[in-house]
């Protein structure tokens, strides 16, 4: 997975016009769709859950050295706003510098986690965040190694629906699935 | 005022220079016709001369008084206060402009640089003796000499104009003859010849005088017929500046008439491209087909910039850029804008 080339995710990444914001609005719509798909898939594969705008120039999808093209700041802003409007990112601060990335929606995540727990018969057990996120047992799970901030959001969502309780004991965060 | 005309043998004075001449000029006494019909009039730095085909010359003296010569004048007396020159073959405006120039230069009052020694001595005595006015005279003299050398420098130019005018007249004669005697030239040759004439600026150009209020409309027709041929050679589309250049060669007027073209169902129309540039194209020009072809060209080359397209199909770069943008607007192409420049690709989105 680490060796996946971005152009394997989307051939558009090797297409120079992909990096120019298209003035034709119909074309632009398709271009933005392609970018959003590419970015979310990239984040899912690499388990990228947070993004800092200051790191934008180093973010691999935003440039392609092979064809010598990169997104300008204006295009990056437009992309981020597009993702936000689709519910795929949430800004953490008012200045829109850091954001949380949702390649799955919160509902989808909650469902995924609860299904995984249930399929292993782990209801009514207590687990720590750490073992759920990084333990060997969860290696095959989608949520394995995701950002703790995101994980907490998912568990809070489960808590809202009465499917889990989140607590903290001795500095460690834990959850009991109901 | 025809009594101011006097006969002369046509020899120029020392220091007199020929400025221009014009054929087809008649002289009227006031507004009355005279026997002096359709000759050639010559403007020199000193006089206006007229001669007919047999090279007899009448001389008009630019003074206020009657002719002082002893020879009998063509007109003993005149009831009018003016003389009219009728320009039957054109050239009136130009002649008038040159007369005004000569009147300003007043070359007839300039003493020639090398006059007789007595004259010189008398002149210089006068100027040395009379202090400030002498200096003034000297300055005036210098100014006159300068005038002469400047007009001498322009003499060549005037000669060139003169020769061009002769060529114009010859061409016009031939054009008229070709109209009458069609059998002498084949229709191909006639057409070709007339197109040469057109680029020289003849073929009965529509002028404000001849067409009056219908000026722009008639002009539109004329421009359209002129352009139709040109446009076929330049792939159906030319920018306004290109057209302006070609039309100016033929007539030297503005192209306000262009807006009338479409209304008159002429074969050529004015089009404003999205960048604001105005261009002409044939009305049977098919936009969709044109854009499809351009897209095909870009596809074969994988990508293209405006320069490449311009070179490839022989249109101006400005127009090539417009075409590419038009294809992009229609969703056929997309753009790649980087430091390497603006290029267009087939729209694969």
């Amino acid at each position: 997975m680490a060796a996946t080339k971005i152009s394997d995710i989307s051939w558009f990444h090797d297409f120079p016009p992909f990096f120019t914001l298209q003035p034709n609005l119909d074309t632009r719509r398709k271009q933005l769709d392609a970018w959003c798909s590419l970015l979310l898939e990239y984040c899912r594969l690499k388990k990228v859950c947070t993004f800092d705008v200051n790191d934008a120039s180093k973010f691999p999808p935003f440039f392609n050295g092979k064809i010598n093209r990169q997104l300008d700041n204006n295009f990056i802003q437009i992309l981020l706003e597009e993702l936000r409007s689709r519910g795929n990112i949430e800004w953490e601060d008012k200045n829109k510098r850091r954001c949380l990335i949702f390649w799955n929606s919160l509902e989808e995540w909650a469902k995924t986690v609860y299904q995984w727990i249930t399929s292993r018969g782990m209801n009514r057990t207590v687990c720590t965040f750490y073992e759920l996120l990084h333990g060997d047992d969860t290696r095959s799970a989608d949520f394995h190694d995701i950002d703790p901030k995101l994980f907490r959001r998912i568990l809070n969502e489960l808590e809202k629906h009465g499917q889990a309780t989140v607590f903290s004991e001795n500095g460690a965060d834990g959850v009991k699935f109901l | 005022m025809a009594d101011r005309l006097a006969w002369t043998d046509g020899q120029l004075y020392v220091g007199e220079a020929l400025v221009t001449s014009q054929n087809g000029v008649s002289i009227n006494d006031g507004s009355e016709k005279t026997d002096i019909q359709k000759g050639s009039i010559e403007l020199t730095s000193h006089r206006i001369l007229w001669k007919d085909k047999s090279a007899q010359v009448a001389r008009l003296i630019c003074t206020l008084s009657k002719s002082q010569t002893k020879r009998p004048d063509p007109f003993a007396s005149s009831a009018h206060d003016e003389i009219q020159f009728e320009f039957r073959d054109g050239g009136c405006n130009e002649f008038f402009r040159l007369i005004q120039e000569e009147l300003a230069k007043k070359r007839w009052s300039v003493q020639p640089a090398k006059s007789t020694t007595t004259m010189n001595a008398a002149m210089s005595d006068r100027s040395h003796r009379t202090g400030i006015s002498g200096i003034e005279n000297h300055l005036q003299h210098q100014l006159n000499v300068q005038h002469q050398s400047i007009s001498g420098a322009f003499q060549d130019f005037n000669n060139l104009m003169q020769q061009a005018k002769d060529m114009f007249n010859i061409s016009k004669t031939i054009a008229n003859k070709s109209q009458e005697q069609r059998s002498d030239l084949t229709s191909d040759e006639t057409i070709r010849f007339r197109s040469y004439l057109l680029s020289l600026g003849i073929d009965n150009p529509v002028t404000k005088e001849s067409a009056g209020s219908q000026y722009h409309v008639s002009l539109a027709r004329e421009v359209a017929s002129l352009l139709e041929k040109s446009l076929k050679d330049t792939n159906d589309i030319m920018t306004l500046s290109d057209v302006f250049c070609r039309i100016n060669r033929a007539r030297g007027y503005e192209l306000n008439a262009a807006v009338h073209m479409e209304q008159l169902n002429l074969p050529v129309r004015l089009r404003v491209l999205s960048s604001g540039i105005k261009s002409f194209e044939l009305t049977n020009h098919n936009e969709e087909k044109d854009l499809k072809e351009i897209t095909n060209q870009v596809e074969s080359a994988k990508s293209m910039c405006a320069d490449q397209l311009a070179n490839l199909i022989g249109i101006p770069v400005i127009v090539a850029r417009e075409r590419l943008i038009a294809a992009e607007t229609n969703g056929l192409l997309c753009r790649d804008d980087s430091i390497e420049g603006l290029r267009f690709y087939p729209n694969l989105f």
Side-chain angles (χ1 to χ4, degrees):
Chain A
M1 230 190 331
T4 310
K5 284 192 292 182
I6 300 178
S7 49
D8 289 338
I9 301 173
S10 169
W11 69 269
F12 279 123
H13 205 251
D14 281 345
F15 187 49
F18 197 47
F19 291 81
T20 300
L21 185 65
Q22 296 298 315
N24 178 318
L25 293 181
D26 290 333
T27 310
R28 181 184 295 195
R29 178 109 315 274
K30 294 182 199 149
Q31 179 188 32
L32 292 180
D33 284 346
W35 266 111
C36 290
S37 301
L38 187 163
L39 288 173
L40 294 175
E41 185 58 21
Y42 176 86
C43 290
R44 189 182 73 77
L45 284 172
K46 305 278 187 181
K47 305 269 179 159
V48 178
C49 303
T50 61
F51 181 76
D52 188 321
V53 167
N54 288 342
D55 299 330
S57 57
K58 297 188 218 93
F59 191 54
F62 287 169
F63 61 87
N64 184 337
K66 195 168 62 189
I67 58 171
N68 195 24
R69 294 286 183 275
Q70 64 190 52
L71 293 181
D72 62 22
N73 287 330
N74 180 51
F75 201 163
I76 292 172
Q77 288 301 324
I78 288 175
L79 270 180
L80 292 173
E81 175 52 28
E82 181 67 24
L83 286 167
R84 186 209 62 78
S85 73
R86 295 180 188 203
N88 292 119
I89 65 169
E90 268 180 24
W91 289 110
E92 282 183 2
D93 60 322
K94 279 196 198 114
N95 297 329
K96 297 197 181 169
R97 261 197 47 206
R98 286 182 60 83
C99 62
L100 258 171
I101 300 173
F102 290 86
W103 64 79
N104 285 332
S105 70
L106 208 47
E107 292 78 18
E108 282 166 354
W109 269 127
K111 212 156 105 181
T112 302
V113 170
Y114 196 73
Q115 260 174 9
W116 197 90
I117 293 289
T118 313
S119 69
R120 285 189 176 47
M122 286 167 75
N123 304 66
R124 277 184 279 281
T125 62
V126 171
C127 318
T128 62
F129 275 27
Y130 187 84
E131 62 184 329
L132 286 172
L133 279 177
H134 306 300
D136 288 337
D137 292 340
T138 65
R139 216 172 273 279
S140 61
D142 275 354
F143 55 83
H144 183 82
D145 274 346
I146 64 172
D147 189 289
K149 263 188 297 215
L150 178 61
F151 195 55
R152 182 177 285 281
R153 287 287 299 277
I154 299 168
L155 295 177
N156 286 340
E157 185 71 13
L158 283 171
E159 209 172 26
K160 242 188 340 194
H161 296 315
Q163 289 169 310
T165 11
V166 180
F167 58 90
S168 190
E169 197 168 289
N170 296 334
D173 298 315
V175 56
K176 180 176 179 185
F177 294 96
L178 308 167
Chain B
M1 230 203 281
D3 50 352
R4 301 291 173 80
L5 296 173
W7 295 113
T8 178
D9 55 10
Q11 297 280 358
L12 297 179
Y13 298 150
V14 175
E16 184 183 12
L18 177 67
V19 174
T20 187
S21 73
Q22 176 64 45
N23 291 334
V25 178
S26 308
I27 302 182
N28 297 338
D29 182 21
S31 46
E32 263 179 51
K33 276 202 175 8
T34 64
D35 290 334
I36 306 182
Q37 291 287 315
K38 284 220 186 144
S40 126
I41 193 172
E42 290 175 350
L43 172 69
T44 73
S45 51
H46 291 49
R47 304 172 285 172
I48 295 178
L49 306 169
W50 180 95
K51 61 180 180 215
D52 66 7
K53 288 180 189 115
S54 57
Q56 283 246 307
V57 186
R59 177 183 70 178
L60 177 74
I61 304 180
C62 301
T63 62
L64 298 169
S65 59
K66 205 168 166 291
S67 159
Q68 300 294 318
T69 60
K70 295 188 183 116
R71 285 178 287 187
D73 293 330
F75 297 95
S77 66
S78 164
H80 301 277
D81 287 334
E82 60 179 22
I83 286 179
Q84 286 181 357
F85 294 111
E86 266 192 52
F87 287 78
R88 296 279 171 76
D89 283 347
C92 175
N93 292 334
E94 180 68 10
F95 202 85
F96 181 59
R97 180 182 75 78
L98 289 169
I99 287 180
Q100 285 185 312
E101 266 184 32
E102 290 308 313
L103 286 175
K105 285 183 206 161
K106 287 190 170 55
R107 285 193 273 181
W108 62 82
S109 63
V110 173
Q111 298 291 344
K114 292 183 187 147
S115 56
T116 62
T117 42
T118 45
M119 269 291 277
N120 225 2
M123 263 294 281
S124 48
D125 271 348
R126 251 203 306 277
S127 45
H128 282 142
R129 252 189 279 148
T130 54
I132 289 179
S133 58
I135 293 171
E136 277 180 343
N137 281 339
H138 183 62
L139 284 174
Q140 182 61 38
H141 175 66
Q142 271 189 326
L143 209 62
N144 289 335
V145 168
Q146 266 175 19
H147 267 140
Q148 253 196 332
S149 67
I150 288 172
S151 49
F154 275 103
Q155 202 53 41
D156 286 344
F157 183 67
N158 285 335
N159 285 340
L160 191 68
M161 295 269 284
Q162 184 58 39
Q163 281 176 13
K165 211 197 309 186
D166 288 339
M167 228 182 75
F168 176 102
N169 288 332
I170 294 169
S171 310
K172 196 161 174 208
T173 318
I174 297 179
N176 290 335
K177 284 215 176 95
S178 80
Q179 240 177 351
E180 295 155 24
Q181 302 162 13
R182 249 176 236 289
S183 54
D184 280 0
L185 297 166
T186 66
S187 57
D188 265 346
E189 284 172 316
T190 313
I191 289 171
R192 227 178 338 128
F193 191 72
R194 284 180 78 84
S195 76
Y196 294 153
L197 296 183
L198 195 67
S199 66
L200 279 179
I202 322 156
D203 203 1
N204 302 316
V206 174
T207 64
K208 277 199 171 108
E209 294 89 58
S210 65
S213 61
Q214 280 293 294
Y215 174 56
H216 285 136
V217 171
S218 307
L219 186 53
R221 285 190 217 275
E222 178 176 320
V223 169
S225 62
L226 212 178
L227 281 184
E228 200 175 351
K229 286 211 182 77
S230 302
L231 279 173
K232 291 212 171 94
D233 293 333
T234 60
N235 279 300
D236 292 2
I237 192 161
M238 286 164 69
T239 60
L240 186 66
S241 46
D242 283 345
V243 169
F244 196 57
C245 290
R246 288 195 195 211
I247 303 267
N248 260 341
R249 283 176 66 208
R251 40 172 321 120
Y253 280 98
E254 299 163 19
L255 285 179
N256 291 322
V259 293
H260 292 281
M261 276 183 180
E262 199 146 7
Q263 302 160 326
L264 297 173
N265 284 323
L266 295 170
V268 175
R269 65 172 174 208
L270 179 67
R271 204 173 127 185
V272 183
L273 301 177
S274 55
S275 66
I277 294 171
K278 297 181 188 169
S279 71
F280 283 92
E281 61 179 20
L282 293 179
T283 35
N284 60 9
H285 170 250
N286 185 333
E287 178 75 350
E288 209 184 303
K289 204 176 96 188
D290 191 48
L291 293 182
K292 269 244 149 65
E293 269 171 42
I294 286 182
T295 306
N296 289 339
Q297 298 282 9
V298 174
E299 256 176 56
S300 327
K302 299 243 170 38
S303 75
M304 251 195 217
C305 63
D307 284 342
Q308 289 172 298
L309 183 65
N311 280 335
L312 190 67
I313 64 177
I315 58 178
V317 175
I318 291 177
V319 177
R321 193 186 148 94
E322 281 297 334
R323 301 280 79 210
L324 289 169
I325 290 175
E328 176 192 48
T329 306
N330 277 310
L332 295 166
L333 297 177
C334 60
R335 68 169 60 191
D336 163 42
D337 203 351
S338 69
I339 45 165
E340 291 171 18
L342 178 61
R343 301 186 68 79
F344 288 83
Y345 286 71
N347 185 358
L348 300 176
F349 286 106

